[in-house]
């Protein structure tokens, strides 16, 4: 099959699957934009380990790694099968690139993985596995992980980095449809422009070069999946979606194809 793009998705708050709006509509149409993948590898902002770990679970459980949301959210599940074949390949590719990697026998799907996938691939008929991030490593490290994984997308594997284009929990509002403040819009526009232009150096140095970087990302983990997607697909990307929820969460999504 033809090579697939890599994708960066902003997964927003855990209540995404029970909300209606622009981002939910976008995710429901995502499977129509690309050929059906043979398998999906998700790099979620909500799994940290050092060294990297990839799930080898055959029947990954749905993890409810949140609290305080409506009870109906805890009744949802994403019953996709795992893929030991994919997890073994990830270990091989990273090891060959000089990046130690281990398997985790039971790791399930955290909400960074299952909440967007439940909307995008509701049939859950594609094998899915997760790869962890390293919270204390820089964008270049995550870009290098993506670069090592690039062969996967030429073999029908959809690589998804799931994080958030902007993510400041300290400024989290109660209104789902709140308008974003200027400091969110300005950073989001900077990110979109540099991705459209393929400015890899600027993006890798976003912490020093982007306006309002600290305000939008007090910690780095929700932007690191972007760099994995960039590494595997190339720095120049196409914006697939743009909207905001809760005022401070940009739900921007991008596709990368070198």
């Amino acid at each position: 099959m033809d090579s697939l793009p890599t994708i960066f998705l902003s997964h927003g708050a855990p209540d995404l699957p029970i909300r209606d709006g622009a981002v939910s509509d976008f995710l429901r149409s995502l499977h129509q934009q690309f050929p059906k993948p043979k398998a999906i590898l998700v790099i979620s902002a909500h799994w940290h380990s050092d060294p990297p770990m990839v799930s080898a679970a055959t029947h990954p459980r749905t993890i409810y790694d949140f609290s305080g949301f409506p009870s109906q959210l805890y009744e949802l599940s994403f019953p996709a099968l795992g893929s030991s074949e994919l997890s073994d390949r990830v270990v091989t590719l990273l090891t060959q690139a000089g990046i130690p990697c281990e398997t985790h026998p039971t790791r399930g799907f955290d909400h960074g993985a299952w909440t967007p996938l439940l909307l995008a691939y509701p049939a859950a008929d594609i094998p899915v596995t997760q790869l962890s991030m390293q919270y204390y490593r820089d964008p270049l490290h995550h870009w290098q992980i993506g670069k090592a994984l690039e062969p996967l997308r030429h073999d029908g594997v959809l690589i998804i980095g799931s994080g958030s284009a902007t993510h400041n929990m300290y400024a989290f509002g109660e209104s789902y449809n709140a308008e974003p403040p200027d400091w969110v819009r300005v950073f989001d526009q900077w990110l979109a422009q540099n991705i459209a232009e393929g400015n890899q150096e600027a993006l890798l140095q976003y912490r020093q070069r982007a306006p309002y970087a600290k305000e939008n990302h007090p910690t780095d983990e929700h932007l690191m999946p972007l760099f994995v997607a960039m590494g595997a697909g190339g720095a120049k990307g196409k914006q697939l979606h743009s909207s905001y929820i809760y005022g401070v969460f940009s739900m921007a999504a991008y596709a990368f194809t070198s």
Side-chain angles (χ1 to χ4, degrees):
M1 66 183 300
D2 294 336
S3 297
L4 292 171
T6 63
I7 297 175
F8 172 73
L9 298 177
S10 297
H11 62 250
D15 59 352
L16 179 66
I18 60 173
R19 291 284 191 172
D20 291 323
V23 66
S24 299
D25 292 343
F26 156 69
L27 288 169
R28 290 189 182 101
S29 69
L30 185 64
H31 71 279
Q32 301 172 355
Q33 300 190 37
F34 313 105
K36 185 177 181 178
K38 293 195 304 184
I40 297 173
L41 177 67
V42 180
I43 300 88
S44 165
H46 294 280
W47 185 17
H48 161 75
S49 73
D50 199 355
M53 299 190 78
V54 59
S55 176
T58 55
H59 293 80
R61 64 189 177 93
T62 302
I63 302 173
Y64 306 99
D65 51 337
F66 46 80
S67 61
F69 288 91
S71 59
Q72 68 186 107
L73 193 59
Y74 302 87
E75 299 170 1
L76 300 177
S77 66
F78 185 67
L81 296 176
S83 173
S84 58
E85 178 183 354
L86 177 55
S87 61
D88 288 345
R89 185 115 189 263
V90 169
V91 170
T92 297
L93 289 171
L94 292 182
T95 301
Q96 289 175 344
I99 302 170
C101 183
E102 302 173 1
T103 58
H104 191 294
T106 61
R107 172 72 187 194
F109 302 133
D110 60 55
H111 81 268
W114 73 263
T115 58
L117 288 180
L118 188 63
L119 294 170
Y121 294 97
D125 59 352
I126 302 168
V128 180
T129 192
Q130 276 196 242
L131 174 66
S132 70
M133 293 175 26
Q134 291 66 65
Y135 285 179
Y136 308 111
R137 303 296 298 271
D138 62 7
L140 179 61
H141 166 80
H142 290 89
W143 180 88
Q144 290 169 334
I145 285 178
K147 190 66 177 174
L149 297 176
E150 180 182 4
L152 294 177
R153 72 180 190 87
H154 303 301
D155 195 30
V157 177
L158 180 62
I159 299 172
I160 298 178
S162 178
S164 191
T166 65
H167 189 267
N168 187 331
M169 289 296 294
Y170 304 106
F172 184 82
E174 294 185 3
S175 173
Y176 188 78
N177 296 311
E179 286 294 315
D182 286 344
W183 56 269
V184 171
R185 287 190 183 275
V186 169
F187 177 90
D188 199 35
Q189 291 165 358
W190 181 92
L191 193 66
Q193 179 179 344
N194 281 276
I195 289 173
E197 296 173 356
N199 292 333
Q200 179 177 314
E201 182 178 352
L203 290 163
L204 290 174
Q205 298 177 10
Y206 90 94
R207 179 64 72 185
Q208 295 78 36
R209 299 176 66 167
Y212 302 110
K214 183 178 180 181
E215 289 82 356
N216 284 280
H217 290 282
T219 54
D220 287 318
E221 77 284 343
H222 271 77
L223 202 59
M224 292 302 105
L226 169 70
F227 300 109
V228 180
M230 282 174 47
K236 190 171 184 178
K238 173 185 177 182
Q239 188 161 35
L240 302 177
H241 178 73
S242 176
S243 68
Y244 301 90
I245 62 171
Y246 290 111
V248 295
F249 292 156
S250 165
M251 299 303 291
Y254 298 93
F256 299 90
T257 53
S258 56

